[in-house]
Amino acid sequence: MAKKEYSFYPGCSSQKGASSINYLRSVETMCEDLDVQLNTIPDWNCCSASIGYNGGGELPRLVLSARNIALSEKNHPGQDIVSPCAACWLGTRESQERLNHNDSLMAEANTALKEAGLELEGKKDVRHMVEVLIEDFGYDALGAKVKKPLNDIKIAGYVGCQTNRPFGIDGESFENPKYLDKLIETLGGEPVENYDKKVSCCGGALAFSEPDKSQALIKDIIESAYDGGADMIVTPCPVCQMNVEVYQDQINAKYNTKFKMPVVYYSTLISVAYGHNAKDSALDGQVIRAKQLEEIAAK
Amino acid sequence: MSNTAMVEKYRSNFLKEVAENVEEGEWVRMCMQCGVCSGSCPMGPHWEHPPQELFMMIRANKREEVLSSSSMWMCTSCYNCIARCPRELPITHIMHGLAHYAKRLGLAPKENPTNKFSQRFWDNLTKTGRVNELKLGLSLYFMNGFVEGIKTALKMKDVGMGMLKTGRMNPLEILGGHGVKDKSGFQAMLKKAQELEAARVDK
């Protein structure tokens, strides 16, 4: 298969020394195996996620994504924009749709972009990394590269919010999307059936501002994974990953639970199953270590 | 645009004020009060007035109560309400729009933690073009004053150590950190966008 190229938008949390640098590392490992070339959008900026609305009004927020799309159009014509981050993907795709839907907003956005020497056409396909996996490769092609199947590991596929709503993955339902489960099966693992917190919210950015309320949500997400017999949770979103992983000690102290549930990215699962070592699979980025994956990676 | 000017302009028609000034506000007219949004919200129990109620209050001219409410600051942007609304209202965006409008008019609850966090997030990202997680985290710890900040920092010590040990936090970010190269173009673009938006709202 010929090399596939994409215009890549990593997002702030995937920068060096940032909270999901481990995600980026495993995505790069995975993409190398799949012969995917990620061309980073030169000089990309933050999309303001979904929490910049206080200081940023509608147009200032929309032009943030408009600048990234314009840079992609200029530097990577003909390549789809791909982001591994749920918020970056949603923000970019939604901003482009909203600008295309409103001529006067689009005109204003272009007036603002001119200040940065840029112009927006707004015809890019904006996609999440899992769409690339599922649509441009497919489960069979992904499965063909498995060298070390994830035998005997039971995994709860936590899809979360923003990879699922409002756009989601084509052909999947909002209430019970199956793609993570299918991916787990493809890699030889066992998905948790009927994981009832699969698309529940972890609190997102409010984990910072409303920690008690958010940790109550996170507790249910982890508890439900344990109820289904999960050894670990897998997610496609950097905010989900961090929120569900790093507050487990605080939740244990508050609710008298004994959670110690690893939360990994799908790209880490894929990298391990494709035969990579712990470092290239970014297992060293786990605050709660995924020991079963470490054992497979060491084999 | 001042609060009194808006009160004067719209008198007792808050629905019209929202439709003309709040992001996606024209959609409020379409709400049929089914309550699916309120029932679908993960923060449901914590809203002073859930979205459905806010929409009715807007129609009933409860201007002060709506704009000074902590309600819309409870939105986690999970999009569950948008996915389920039978009338396809962009409820998440209307909540963000109401929060932003309340802030512009000086009516937003000043002590609401998400109000504070959201402003800090915006200030953080617009400074260099990219989020500096370390500075954002520290500003968040100390947003309720120094003593509270030390307490929060101690409480968060283990989380921070976990991130540090796994290479997911870099103390050197405090010295500046990541950012866009074309900072002047980036900021000129934002300034222009803010001017254009202000001109539209003041019209």
Side-chain angles (χ1 to χ4, degrees):
Chain A
M1 214 187 285
K3 188 183 269 296
K4 290 183 179 18
E5 288 191 55
Y6 301 93
S7 184
F8 187 59
Y9 178 33
C12 297
S13 64
S14 275
Q15 296 175 103
K16 192 167 182 291
S19 57
S20 69
I21 183 62
N22 51 328
Y23 188 12
L24 181 67
R25 194 137 45 88
S26 55
V27 162
E28 284 172 347
T29 300
M30 172 187 92
C31 285
E32 208 164 299
D33 282 346
L34 295 169
D35 206 14
V36 162
Q37 184 174 320
L38 300 174
N39 303 314
T40 301
I41 297 174
D43 213 34
W44 58 267
N45 56 261
C46 173
C47 69
S48 88
S50 302
I51 192 70
Y53 57 79
N54 187 341
E58 184 178 20
L59 185 65
R61 274 183 288 128
L62 289 173
V63 298
L64 289 175
S65 291
R67 180 175 178 275
N68 290 328
I69 301 166
L71 283 167
S72 172
E73 286 172 353
K74 187 173 153 188
N75 293 283
H76 306 140
Q79 293 173 22
D80 292 350
I81 295 176
V82 170
S83 179
C85 170
C88 294
W89 170 59
L90 190 161
T92 310
R93 180 168 163 183
E94 185 177 77
S95 297
Q96 182 174 260
E97 279 193 7
R98 286 174 69 178
L99 289 169
N100 280 328
H101 203 73
N102 185 327
D103 291 343
S104 65
L105 267 182
M106 181 62 121
E108 288 187 346
N110 265 316
T111 306
L113 279 173
K114 210 178 279 167
E115 298 287 322
L118 293 166
E119 199 186 343
L120 177 73
E121 201 193 351
K123 303 253 181 314
K124 279 269 183 177
D125 276 335
V126 183
R127 307 170 70 200
H128 190 280
M129 183 57 79
V130 294
E131 291 184 287
V132 169
L133 296 180
I134 294 165
E135 292 163 6
D136 298 0
F137 289 89
Y139 300 103
D140 290 345
L142 293 171
K145 290 187 180 291
V146 172
K147 290 182 184 142
K148 294 175 179 172
L150 310 178
N151 291 333
D152 304 322
I153 305 183
K154 198 161 181 185
I155 307 170
Y158 175 49
V159 178
C161 297
Q162 295 198 343
T163 329
N164 185 43
R165 297 180 296 261
F167 300 119
I169 307 301
D170 243 12
E172 296 278 6
S173 80
F174 290 138
E175 308 291 342
N176 188 14
K178 298 277 193 190
Y179 65 89
L180 277 182
D181 299 337
K182 286 186 209 160
L183 197 59
I184 294 163
E185 270 173 350
T186 301
L187 302 173
E190 187 190 343
V192 169
E193 292 289 334
N194 304 318
Y195 176 37
D196 67 357
K197 294 293 169 187
K198 182 187 264 184
V199 295
S200 296
C201 180
C202 68
L206 270 67
F208 297 103
S209 55
E210 297 279 5
D212 291 338
K213 297 179 182 75
S214 299
Q215 286 181 16
L217 302 175
I218 296 167
K219 173 185 166 278
D220 289 348
I221 291 162
I222 300 167
E223 203 162 62
S224 161
Y226 273 114
D227 288 347
D231 297 307
M232 63 187 69
I233 292 172
V234 64
T235 172
C237 168
V239 178
C240 293
Q241 196 284 332
M242 178 165 157
N243 281 351
V244 179
E245 183 187 33
V246 306
Y247 299 116
Q248 291 189 29
D249 283 346
Q250 294 187 9
I251 291 169
N252 287 339
K254 201 177 306 164
Y255 292 97
N256 206 16
T257 46
K258 289 179 182 151
F259 294 162
K260 206 178 177 176
M261 175 71 75
V263 186
V264 303
Y265 292 109
Y266 62 89
S267 46
T268 288
L269 289 184
I270 292 175
S271 298
V272 171
Y274 283 6
H276 291 279
N277 64 25
K279 189 164 189 293
D280 292 344
S281 309
L283 283 167
D284 55 358
Q286 295 298 130
V287 173
I288 298 175
R289 288 170 59 186
K291 291 193 178 132
Q292 288 155 295
L293 295 178
E294 285 179 14
E295 281 163 23
I296 296 176
K299 258 193 263 178
Chain B
M1 174 185 67
S2 72
N3 186 37
T4 44
M6 283 307 193
V7 172
E8 187 67 21
K9 184 172 174 189
Y10 289 97
R11 297 287 170 170
S12 55
N13 198 341
F14 186 41
L15 180 62
K16 188 161 185 249
E17 182 181 346
V18 169
E20 289 180 2
N21 297 284
V22 172
E23 182 174 345
E24 306 285 2
E26 69 278 9
W27 280 94
V28 173
R29 293 197 171 103
M30 291 293 290
C31 171
M32 62 179 187
Q33 291 292 304
C34 72
V36 164
C37 51
S38 306
S40 301
C41 179
M43 289 288 184
H46 307 298
W47 288 59
E48 196 181 356
H49 309 291
Q52 165 209 11
E53 207 171 294
L54 285 178
F55 295 148
M56 187 49 96
M57 289 167 74
I58 290 169
R59 288 178 184 164
N61 277 319
K62 306 259 183 204
R63 186 178 185 277
E64 287 282 321
E65 282 150 278
V66 169
L67 293 176
S68 61
S69 172
S70 64
S71 297
M72 46 280 191
W73 301 95
M74 284 295 159
C75 173
T76 64
S77 309
C78 79
Y79 286 73
N80 218 2
C81 52
I82 288 194
R84 288 180 179 171
C85 175
R87 287 272 176 97
E88 299 184 1
L89 268 71
I91 300 170
T92 309
H93 304 138
I94 302 171
M95 295 304 121
H96 296 172
L98 281 171
H100 178 76
Y101 188 62
K103 181 64 186 289
R104 280 181 100 125
L105 295 175
L107 296 173
K110 290 191 176 55
E111 290 310 308
N112 179 277
T114 304
N115 175 358
K116 291 184 183 179
F117 179 62
S118 174
Q119 184 66 50
R120 277 163 179 75
F121 190 90
W122 180 257
D123 294 344
N124 184 294
L125 85 91
T126 50
K127 204 164 181 183
T128 65
R130 293 184 189 174
V131 166
N132 184 314
E133 290 181 343
L134 187 69
K135 285 185 190 169
L136 180 65
L138 289 175
S139 79
L140 174 70
Y141 291 177
F142 288 91
M143 73 184 185
N144 295 319
F146 184 74
V147 177
E148 275 299 304
I150 298 294
K151 279 190 209 159
T152 311
L154 285 173
K155 196 175 154 199
M156 295 299 290
K157 170 173 78 20
D158 293 341
V159 171
M161 281 312 289
M163 297 301 278
L164 195 64
K165 278 189 210 154
T166 51
R168 292 163 63 183
M169 190 171 94
N170 178 9
L172 294 177
E173 282 280 304
I174 200 80
L175 301 174
H178 301 288
V180 295
K181 284 190 211 85
D182 181 23
K183 213 165 97 176
S184 62
F186 174 80
Q187 285 173 345
M189 169 193 81
L190 271 185
K191 188 162 169 273
K192 178 57 85 179
Q194 276 156 346
E195 283 168 13
L196 288 168
E197 186 153 282
R200 182 155 31 91
V201 176
D202 283 334
K203 209 161 49 184

